[in-house]
């Protein structure tokens, strides 16, 4: 009992150590793999940041160097010089009152004619234009046309005055259906930078409307397109100048772009004493190329102007990893570089899956190795236990016949036998015990040869009838003395088998001897021989104590005994059935057992026919 407890404790320690040998490396492996994923992610992230930062610096530096060299980036800039005219003549003021306030066109015309005496060109011009305007109201178109042509042809009137006279002349041409209308329109559409911007915008806008109304747009496509570009540019300039004047923004040289909060917004820069303007749309278009050059499936960027406004067309969310300050003409501007959301998570997840698979395989291999090692240890422990029990059994099996033989021999030597019959009985008992020792020794030798693969069989064509008869004859004396009811049934005809006759006979003798040992007083033993599926079947059947399912699974194991106690009633070493299985396997046969408790057992040996 103490040995069993000791062995059990040893097994527990062995299993515990094996479990630790698996759990500890597994935990360490998982920790190291987690750290590896984390460190690899950080390393990859840093490499990407360094690479994309350098790439961004190169792309945006090149862009800032090229912007001001490309004139296509700028809207056409017009010098804004407001001009004001003073009219000193009181006669002109009276004429204007009669014309515009009182509606006295004839009186106004008389007053305008009085201004010819003045030497100031501005006063003379206003008087002439007033006369032409009054003549138009009075439907005296030819006279009005002549006055307008006089204003246009006079050298001492400036370009603005001539342009306004031309605009009035076009109205007169429309009234008279004059064929010179298109010619005059084409002349006035020519942009003249000496005319104040606001006046030029007004004139060109009015000319465009007249061309549309007179269906002349198809005849003046270039002129109208040029006028529209100038109007757009001039409006930007006017809006920008108004914004700068209202907000008292300095006009000192500033060679960096700054935002002008107009509608729509624009950007301005002072260069060479001029204010250059860029619309927000053009600025965005310019930067979009650099943005597209930098952006890929891992990164994107956002560009902020001097007010912090993002000028990208489309923006998204991500992880900011670097901020670059722009240079040259973009001082105060910056570019933010972002990693797309989930980029590293996706890459890390892929790596994590790989590591998990590797870890799983390693852990499974470790578990399999541990299970194999545990199985081997447990098997070895069980084998050691069986060997210990076997040694104890051998000792018991050998001591019993030796003690009996010694006692009988001592009795014979001391002549204590009462008669010859008693002597004969003692000699028969000595012979029986000697035979028992011989069987034990034969089993040990056979087992030893089996373990060393030294058992040699002489395989020849043999009759199953001879094998069964030989086994029955070997057990005849034992069965007859014990009054065993033995039946031998051999089917006919019976084919030959390739077998070692003595070896197969030994198999049947062992099975018959077991049937004898494990049967009760009324022993009924059968040996049946028949053919089934190209096999000769030897069936040994008894009405003995039977076996459980667990015992049937272990009955052919080495050293196994259903009752391993030293006080058991049935003698044996636990080698008989293992030897039987070894012999049957060597003949490429099969052996099986069916048994029920208290109803007996049936062993079936199948040997292939020739």
């Amino acid at each position: 009992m103490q040995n069993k407890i000791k062995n059990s404790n040893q097994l527990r320690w062995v299993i515990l150590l094996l479990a630790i040998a698996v759990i500890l490396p597994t935990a360490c492996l998982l920790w190291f793999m987690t750290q590896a994923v984390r460190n690899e992610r950080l390393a990859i992230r840093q490499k990407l940041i360094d690479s994309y930062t350098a790439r961004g610096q190169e792309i945006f530096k090149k862009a800032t160097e090229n912007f001001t060299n490309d004139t296509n980036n700028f809207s056409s800039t017009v010098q804004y010089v407001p001009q004001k005219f003073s009219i000193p003549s009181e006669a002109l003021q009276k004429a204007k009152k009669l014309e515009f306030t009182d509606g006295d066109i004839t009186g106004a015309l008389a007053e305008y004619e009085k201004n010819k005496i003045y030497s100031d060109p501005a006063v003379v011009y206003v008087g002439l234009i007033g006369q032409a305007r009054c003549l138009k109201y009075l439907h005296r178109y030819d006279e009005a046309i002549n006055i307008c042509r006089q204003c246009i042809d006079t050298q001492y009137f400036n370009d603005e005055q001539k342009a306004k006279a031309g605009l009035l002349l076009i109205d007169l041409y429309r009234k008279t259906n004059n064929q010179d209308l298109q010619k005059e329109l084409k002349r006035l559409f020519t942009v003249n930078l000496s005319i104040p911007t606001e006046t030029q915008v007004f004139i060109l806008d009015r000319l465009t409307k007249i061309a549309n109304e007179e269906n002349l747009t198809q005849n003046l496509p270039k002129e109208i397109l040029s006028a529209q570009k100038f109007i757009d540019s001039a409006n930007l300039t006017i809006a920008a100048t108004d914004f700068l004047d209202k907000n008292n923004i300095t006009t000192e040289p500033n060679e960096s772009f700054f935002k002008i909060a107009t509608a729509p917004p624009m950007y301005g820069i002072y260069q060479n004493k001029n204010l250059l303007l860029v619309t927000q749309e053009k600025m965005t278009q310019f930067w979009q190329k650099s943005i597209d050059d930098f952006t890929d499936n891992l990164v994107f960027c956002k560009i902020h102007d001097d007010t912090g406004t993002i000028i990208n067309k489309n923006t998204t969310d991500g992880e900011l990893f670097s901020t670059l300050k722009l240079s040259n003409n973009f001082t105060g501007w910056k570019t933010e570089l972002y990693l797309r959301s989930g980029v590293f998570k996706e890459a890390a997840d892929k790596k994590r899956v790989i590591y998990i698979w590797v870890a799983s395989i390693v852990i499974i291999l470790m578990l399999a190795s541990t299970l194999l090692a545990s199985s081997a240890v447990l098997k070895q422990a069980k084998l050691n236990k069986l060997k210990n029990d076997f040694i104890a059994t051998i000792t018991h099996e050998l001591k019993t016949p030796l003690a009996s033989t010694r006692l009988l021999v001592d009795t014979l030597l001391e002549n204590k036998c009462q008669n010859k019959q008693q002597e004969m009985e003692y000699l028969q008992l000595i012979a029986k015990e000697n035979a028992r020792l011989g069987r034990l020794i034969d089993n040990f030798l056979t087992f030893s040869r089996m373990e060393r693969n030294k058992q040699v069989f002489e395989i020849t064509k043999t009759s199953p009838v001879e094998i069964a008869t030989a086994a029955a004859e070997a057990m005849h004396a034992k069965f007859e003395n014990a009054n065993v009811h033995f039946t031998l049934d051999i089917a006919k005809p019976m084919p030959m088998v390739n077998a070692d006759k003595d070896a197969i006979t030994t198999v049947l003798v062992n099975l018959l001897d077991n049937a004898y040992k494990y049967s009760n007083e009324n022993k009924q033993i059968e040996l049946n021989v028949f053919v089934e599926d190209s096999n000769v079947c030897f069936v040994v059947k008894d009405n003995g104590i039977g076996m459980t399912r667990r015992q049937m699974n272990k009955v052919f194991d080495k050293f196994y005994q259903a009752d391993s106690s030293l006080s058991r009633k049935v003698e044996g070493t636990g080698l008989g059935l293992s030897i039987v299985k070894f012999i049957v396997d060597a003949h490429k046969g099969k052996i099986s057992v069916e048994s029920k408790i208290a109803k007996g057992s049936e062993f079936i040996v199948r040997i292939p026919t020739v």
Side-chain angles (χ1 to χ4, degrees):
M1 186 67 180
Q2 291 179 350
N3 288 335
K4 287 184 178 180
I5 295 173
K6 184 177 180 181
N7 291 335
S8 178
N9 290 333
Q10 289 177 345
L11 282 176
R12 287 197 191 97
W13 278 109
V14 170
I15 293 173
L16 179 62
L17 289 174
L18 288 173
I20 293 173
V22 173
I23 294 171
L24 186 60
T26 300
C28 293
L29 177 63
L30 293 175
W31 183 83
F32 278 119
M33 294 184 77
T34 302
Q35 294 299 313
V37 171
R38 179 175 175 273
N39 292 337
E40 185 174 5
R41 181 177 178 180
L42 292 174
I44 293 174
R45 185 180 187 279
Q46 191 57 49
K47 287 181 179 178
L48 284 176
I49 287 174
D50 293 343
S51 174
Y52 279 109
T53 300
R55 176 180 167 185
Q57 288 174 339
E58 181 180 355
I59 290 174
F60 295 111
K61 181 181 179 182
K62 186 176 180 181
T64 58
E65 291 174 350
N66 294 337
F67 187 89
T68 53
N69 295 328
D70 187 357
T71 57
N72 293 325
N73 293 324
F74 296 96
S75 303
S76 299
T77 303
V78 180
Q79 185 69 31
Y80 177 64
V81 183
Q83 297 181 10
K84 296 181 180 180
F85 299 93
S86 60
I87 306 299
S89 172
E90 294 180 1
L92 287 178
Q93 293 176 0
K94 183 179 179 181
K96 283 189 174 185
K97 181 176 181 301
L98 290 171
E99 179 185 359
F100 295 108
T101 305
D102 300 337
D104 184 1
I105 303 301
T106 303
L109 177 61
E111 290 294 329
Y112 280 129
E113 290 178 347
K114 295 178 182 180
N115 288 281
K116 295 179 181 180
I117 59 175
Y118 289 97
S119 60
D120 188 346
V123 176
V124 174
Y125 170 77
V126 173
L128 290 174
I129 290 298
Q131 291 178 52
R133 195 165 51 246
C134 290
L135 290 171
K136 184 183 75 169
Y137 295 148
L138 296 173
H139 304 292
R140 295 160 59 182
Y141 300 122
D142 292 337
E143 296 177 56
I145 290 172
N146 290 330
I147 292 175
C148 289
R149 285 177 175 172
Q150 179 185 350
C151 290
I152 294 171
D153 295 336
T154 301
Q155 294 183 356
Y156 52 80
F157 291 151
N158 61 34
D159 292 337
E160 180 183 4
Q161 293 166 340
K162 291 179 180 181
K164 288 180 178 180
L167 190 60
L168 180 56
L169 180 60
I170 287 175
D171 284 337
L172 293 170
Y173 282 162
R174 294 178 69 191
K175 296 290 185 179
T176 60
N177 294 321
N178 194 302
Q179 295 181 354
D180 291 335
L181 174 61
Q182 180 177 332
K183 180 179 179 182
E184 187 63 22
L185 276 173
K186 189 172 184 178
R187 185 185 71 82
L188 287 179
F189 263 124
T190 304
V191 175
N192 192 336
L193 294 179
S194 63
I195 300 174
T197 304
E198 289 180 332
T199 304
Q200 187 79 23
V201 169
F202 170 76
I203 293 172
L204 292 176
D205 184 61
R206 179 62 183 154
L207 292 175
T208 302
K209 291 179 180 179
I210 292 173
N212 289 330
E213 292 171 357
E214 297 296 329
N215 297 321
L216 295 174
T217 53
Q218 294 181 352
N219 299 331
L220 302 167
K222 294 182 179 179
E223 289 77 6
I224 293 175
L225 180 61
S226 176
Q228 192 59 52
K229 286 183 178 180
F230 179 85
I231 291 171
D232 293 340
S233 175
N235 285 334
L236 290 177
T237 305
I238 294 169
T241 306
D242 287 345
F243 174 80
L244 297 176
D245 291 341
K246 290 178 181 177
N247 293 275
N248 296 321
I249 297 178
T250 179
T251 58
E252 293 180 2
N254 181 358
E255 296 190 354
S256 294
F257 281 98
F258 58 92
K259 188 172 184 178
I260 302 175
T262 55
M266 68 183 79
Y267 296 92
I269 183 172
Y270 290 111
Q271 282 195 343
N272 300 323
K273 297 181 180 181
N274 290 318
L275 175 63
L276 306 181
L277 298 174
V278 181
T279 62
Q280 181 170 297
E281 182 180 2
K282 279 186 173 289
M283 184 67 78
T284 301
Q285 289 175 352
F286 169 80
W287 282 112
Q288 194 61 43
K289 183 179 184 304
S290 299
I291 292 169
D292 293 339
D293 289 343
F294 177 79
T295 302
D296 58 22
N297 59 341
L298 293 178
V299 295
F300 65 94
C301 65
K302 297 179 183 179
I303 297 181
H304 299 258
D305 61 21
D306 62 312
T307 64
T309 303
I310 299 174
I311 68 169
N312 298 48
K313 289 182 179 178
N314 299 310
T315 59
T316 184
D317 294 329
E319 180 185 353
L320 177 66
F321 68 86
S322 184
T323 300
L324 305 178
K325 292 184 177 180
L326 301 182
S327 57
N328 296 320
N329 301 120
F330 294 90
T331 302
W333 292 50
K334 66 179 180 180
T335 301
E336 292 179 341
L337 311 182
Y338 290 84
L339 293 168
R340 294 190 183 277
S341 299
V343 168
F344 283 106
K345 183 179 182 302
E346 184 178 351
D349 288 343
K350 291 181 180 178
K351 286 287 185 182
R352 189 177 292 108
V353 169
I354 295 173
Y355 284 136
I356 288 173
W357 274 107
V358 172
S360 299
I361 292 172
V362 172
I363 291 170
I364 289 171
L365 291 175
M366 292 174 65
L367 288 173
S369 301
T370 303
L371 290 174
L372 290 174
S374 301
S375 176
V377 170
L378 291 174
K379 186 175 180 181
Q380 187 63 37
K382 289 180 180 179
L383 186 61
N384 289 336
K385 181 178 180 299
L386 289 174
K387 286 183 178 180
N388 291 334
D389 293 343
F390 172 67
I391 292 171
T393 302
I394 290 175
T395 303
H396 175 73
E397 294 292 335
L398 290 176
K399 284 178 68 177
T400 300
L402 285 173
S404 299
T405 303
R406 180 180 296 175
L407 179 61
L408 293 171
V409 170
D410 289 343
T411 301
L412 291 172
L413 290 175
E414 293 176 0
N415 294 320
K416 292 182 178 181
C417 295
Q418 296 178 359
N419 49 47
K420 291 291 184 181
Q421 184 179 354
Q422 190 177 23
E423 288 182 3
M424 183 58 66
E425 290 177 358
Y426 283 2
L427 289 173
Q428 287 177 349
L429 288 173
I430 291 172
K432 180 181 178 182
E433 295 298 327
N434 186 53
R436 181 179 172 185
L437 285 173
R439 288 195 300 273
L440 288 172
I441 292 171
D442 287 341
N443 282 340
F444 297 153
L445 292 175
T446 301
F447 175 73
S448 176
R449 288 194 293 271
M450 286 167 48
E451 289 292 296
R452 292 180 288 110
N453 290 323
K454 297 295 185 180
Q455 184 71 28
V456 179
F457 299 102
E458 296 181 3
I459 306 295
T460 60
K461 287 185 179 181
T462 305
S463 171
V465 178
E466 294 179 4
I467 294 173
T469 303
E473 289 177 356
M475 298 298 296
H476 177 72
K478 190 171 188 177
F479 287 172
E480 185 176 343
N481 291 335
N483 295 321
V484 176
H485 182 71
F486 174 70
T487 302
L488 175 61
D489 184 10
I490 302 175
K492 295 181 180 180
M494 187 61 60
M496 303 293 282
V497 294
N498 285 326
D500 186 320
K501 179 181 177 181
D502 293 337
I504 300 299
T505 301
T506 301
V507 168
L508 298 182
V509 168
N510 268 294
L511 295 177
L512 291 170
D513 188 52
N514 280 347
Y516 173 82
K517 288 191 293 184
Y518 291 99
S519 295
N520 296 319
E521 294 181 358
N522 186 19
K523 303 178 188 292
Q524 296 183 7
I525 302 174
E526 300 177 11
L527 174 56
N528 301 319
V529 184
F530 56 89
V531 179
E532 182 180 86
D533 298 332
S534 301
N535 291 309
V536 173
C537 298
F538 299 92
V539 180
V540 177
K541 186 176 181 181
D542 62 59
N543 63 339
I545 61 176
M547 291 181 288
T548 64
R549 179 65 60 184
R550 180 176 180 275
Q551 290 171 338
M552 284 191 288
N553 292 332
K554 293 179 173 292
V555 73
F556 295 108
D557 294 346
K558 299 171 184 176
F559 310 120
Y560 177 75
Q561 290 179 315
D563 183 5
S564 59
S565 64
L566 295 179
S567 61
R568 66 188 187 278
K569 295 180 181 179
V570 180
E571 64 185 33
T573 59
L575 292 175
L577 290 178
S578 64
I579 293 172
V580 166
K581 190 173 188 310
F582 173 77
I583 293 172
V584 173
D585 290 342
H587 284 74
K588 298 181 180 178
K590 294 181 180 179
I591 183 169
S592 59
V593 60
E594 293 292 334
S595 182
K596 291 184 179 180
I597 295 295
K599 291 188 178 181
S601 302
E602 182 178 87
F603 286 85
I604 304 173
V605 177
R606 293 179 174 84
I607 304 297
T609 59
V610 177

